[in-house]
Amino acid sequence: MNKNFEIRYLKRAIYILNKIYELSGYDAYLVGGAVRDFLLNRSTSDFDVAINVESVDVFKDRFFRNEFKFLRYEKSYKAFKFIDKKTGLKFEFTPMRKEFYGKGNKPKIVFTDRPEIDYKRRDFTINALYMDRNGTILDFSNGISDLYNDKLRFIGDAEKRIHEDPKRIIRAIKFSESLNLKFDKETYNAIDKYFYLVKNINKEYRFKNFKKFILNQNPIFFNLICKEGLVYKNFYLSKIQDREQLIRNFLEKNYIKFEILVTALIIKMEITKMEVFLDFIGFTNKEILKIKSLVNFYISSEDFLDILVKILGKYGIDTLYDLYDVLNFIRFVWGLSDEESEKIDKLAKIIHNIERGLIPTSINEVDINGEDLMKIGFKGAQIGEILNELFEATLFGEKNENEHLINLAEISYKEIRR
């Protein structure tokens, strides 16, 4: 989007500020991301507006009822969110306030009509820029200077701000990445010191953001989890950072599920505290079990054919596809040993034959049953064992036909009887 497009939206936003003043007699201010993005000439479709709490009644006026579509009301902060029907822009109107933090992370609030008080509750100086109804920018914390000097800095004491809300650590990493900003010394030291607090943030929020950091190979995030003891620094540097472009190239050209990527990273970084690491990222228990299984299948010294039979019998063909994707990703980025190359070739052949309908995908699809085997003479546990053997045989070329499988079973029975 070009700057003219932005200015057109900005004019609409300033018109709304003036309309609030006209209807209520109270000033309102654009604040945060919209002002920051305007200064950076970045496109935006969300506008946060700081208002006087006494002006909330303006939203009952015909102007707002006609030109805005109501989205939601946040009762605790008396905040309204609308979509502007004319432009499609999202506007969130929030009364200015002062916040007081106690033991919990939810602050007590006192409303104010002064932006020079409201700004102190905001997290970073670059997000505490206000624009009034005349288009004048108010900067109470040198945010403009920080923005133009590529600096990310907390408002107030960095350690205190993190303790108030540990999500600010994640927000700091996000802004650093998206805006290409560097932490000032106090901010970096506080994040480094209290990074462990992010484990207290709900899993959904962690997972949503950590997933992006991992996909983008965010160096700040990886260095922090190394210091947290979740990943060995040397393995990260040699196995991930040195292969950054190869990983990026693969992800740009191929779709793989996120858990496949993480499985490969666990294998190559030799992460031993697997469950702790996956829980920290925010995976569910079900997803953790799946990734652990894939890692164990990969590193197992068991006969690979037995592993594939086990996967098909217990987990199904989707897990077979997942294991192939893990091997294929590792082959592209790090290369495979001769043994691993043989494994992926076998796996590819089996998947190909399954897709063509040439071989069964489970023991239940093998064209022989327990009754057939009992007629031959098999009993008890022998039946399960010979079924597994016949299933395995079909994976590598034996016909899945009843008469043929009975012949194979009879041969096996004669060998047992000797």
Side-chain angles (χ1 to χ4, degrees):
M1 297 182 184
N2 58 43
K3 183 145 185 173
N4 289 332
F5 190 75
E6 286 295 325
I7 288 175
R8 180 164 63 89
Y9 279 0
L10 186 64
K11 286 180 178 178
R12 174 65 174 170
I14 288 176
Y15 170 77
I16 291 166
L17 297 185
N18 279 283
K19 199 69 181 176
I20 292 172
Y21 182 76
E22 175 189 321
L23 294 170
S24 69
Y26 294 105
D27 276 311
Y29 305 86
L30 295 181
V31 64
V35 182
R36 179 197 70 225
D37 291 342
F38 168 72
L39 292 172
L40 293 175
N41 192 21
R42 289 166 53 97
S43 62
T44 188
S45 58
D46 293 318
F47 286 84
D48 292 327
V49 181
I51 60 174
N52 187 306
V53 70
E54 299 297 332
S55 63
V56 294
D57 285 342
V58 300
F59 301 118
K60 299 175 184 177
D61 187 83
R62 182 181 299 175
F63 169 78
F64 281 94
R65 286 189 281 116
N66 290 344
E67 300 208 20
F68 283 80
K69 177 184 176 183
F70 175 77
L71 291 180
R72 71 169 183 263
Y73 173 63
E74 179 73 43
K75 186 176 180 181
S76 56
Y77 298 124
K78 297 188 178 182
F80 292 82
K81 191 157 191 173
F82 297 91
I83 290 181
D84 179 17
K85 294 177 183 178
K86 188 172 182 179
T87 61
L89 298 172
K90 292 179 183 177
F91 282 84
E92 185 157 359
F93 301 89
T94 306
M96 291 178 280
R97 63 185 186 269
K98 187 173 184 178
E99 295 181 344
F100 301 90
Y101 283 86
K103 291 183 179 180
N105 291 105
K106 193 165 185 178
K108 294 180 180 179
I109 62 173
V110 175
F111 292 113
T112 179
D113 61 351
R114 298 165 60 192
E116 61 268 32
I117 291 177
D118 181 73
Y119 94 92
K120 294 178 181 178
R121 71 176 179 84
R122 301 185 181 274
D123 45 15
F124 308 109
T125 60
I126 62 167
N127 292 335
L129 302 170
Y130 295 71
M131 183 180 288
D132 67 16
R133 58 193 169 89
N134 298 309
T136 301
I137 295 177
L138 309 178
D139 180 5
F140 305 104
S141 57
N142 292 318
I144 294 176
S145 173
D146 287 343
L147 195 60
Y148 289 152
N149 285 289
D150 302 323
K151 182 189 294 184
L152 190 67
R153 181 167 59 91
F154 277 108
I155 293 172
D157 180 82
E159 292 190 8
K160 181 182 177 184
R161 302 312 304 276
I162 287 172
H163 274 283
E164 289 172 352
D165 185 359
K167 284 183 180 179
R168 287 173 175 150
I169 291 175
I170 295 177
R171 283 172 56 79
I173 299 171
K174 282 171 63 177
F175 282 121
S176 173
E177 179 178 86
S178 63
L179 300 176
N180 196 26
L181 303 176
K182 293 181 175 62
F183 299 144
D184 78 321
K185 186 176 180 180
E186 183 187 356
T187 297
Y188 178 80
N189 288 342
I191 289 172
D192 183 44
K193 183 176 180 180
Y194 293 110
F195 183 67
Y196 70 90
L197 291 175
V198 299
K199 67 185 177 185
N200 299 324
I201 300 169
N202 72 73
K203 270 194 169 187
E204 292 79 8
Y205 186 85
R206 289 206 315 269
F207 184 78
K208 176 184 173 183
N209 289 285
F210 290 175
K211 179 179 179 180
K212 292 177 183 175
F213 296 155
I214 291 172
L215 287 171
N216 294 336
Q217 299 173 76
N218 185 292
I220 295 172
F221 174 74
F222 273 103
N223 277 299
L224 287 167
I225 62 174
C226 286
K227 288 188 175 182
E228 196 62 23
L230 297 169
V231 173
Y232 291 117
K233 183 71 174 282
N234 288 341
F235 287 150
Y236 161 63
L237 293 174
S238 62
K239 300 293 186 179
I240 307 302
Q241 196 173 72
D242 284 356
R243 303 283 173 150
E244 179 181 346
Q245 194 55 52
L246 283 171
I247 295 172
R248 201 175 301 281
N249 290 344
F250 186 92
L251 296 178
E252 285 175 357
K253 296 175 183 177
N254 304 274
Y255 168 76
I256 60 169
K257 291 181 281 190
F258 181 56
E259 57 261 39
I260 301 302
L261 170 65
V262 171
T263 300
L265 297 183
I266 288 172
I267 290 167
K268 300 312 292 185
M269 290 193 290
E270 300 182 32
I271 294 175
T272 53
K273 300 176 183 176
M274 201 188 320
E275 286 188 54
V276 175
F277 172 77
L278 293 170
D279 182 71
F280 183 84
I281 299 302
F283 282 100
T284 64
N285 290 337
K286 184 177 179 180
E287 290 166 336
I288 290 172
L289 287 173
K290 179 180 179 180
I291 292 171
K292 279 181 64 182
S293 296
L294 286 171
V295 172
N296 290 332
F297 290 144
Y298 181 91
I299 65 176
S300 175
S301 58
E302 188 180 352
D303 181 78
F304 191 60
L305 186 55
D306 290 340
I307 291 172
L308 300 185
V309 171
K310 186 184 295 183
I311 290 173
L312 281 172
K314 186 175 181 180
Y315 300 95
I317 190 169
D318 286 344
T319 302
L320 216 58
Y321 283 125
D322 289 341
L323 183 58
Y324 176 84
D325 287 341
V326 170
L327 281 160
N328 190 44
F329 178 63
I330 290 175
R331 174 169 61 181
F332 183 90
V333 177
W334 295 279
L336 295 176
S337 66
D338 291 342
E339 183 183 351
E340 290 169 330
S341 295
E342 188 178 334
K343 286 180 179 180
I344 197 171
D345 289 342
K346 286 181 180 179
L347 187 50
K349 184 178 179 180
I350 289 175
I351 289 173
H352 176 71
N353 287 334
I354 287 174
E355 289 175 341
R356 292 175 64 196
L358 299 178
I359 58 177
T361 59
S362 71
I363 289 178
N364 294 332
E365 292 182 9
V366 177
D367 194 15
I368 191 170
N369 56 40
E371 188 176 336
D372 294 327
L373 295 171
M374 284 190 285
K375 286 178 181 177
I376 295 170
F378 289 101
K379 297 177 182 179
Q382 290 178 330
I383 294 173
E385 291 171 4
I386 191 63
L387 276 174
N388 269 315
E389 287 180 18
L390 293 172
F391 177 42
E392 185 174 313
T394 62
L395 295 182
F396 277 90
E398 296 293 351
K399 295 177 182 177
N400 185 30
E401 296 173 357
N402 183 260
E403 185 177 342
H404 180 66
L405 295 174
I406 286 175
N407 288 334
L408 292 177
E410 287 173 343
I411 293 170
S412 293
Y413 185 71
K414 288 176 183 177
E415 291 177 353
I416 293 170
R417 295 278 293 173
R418 285 177 186 173

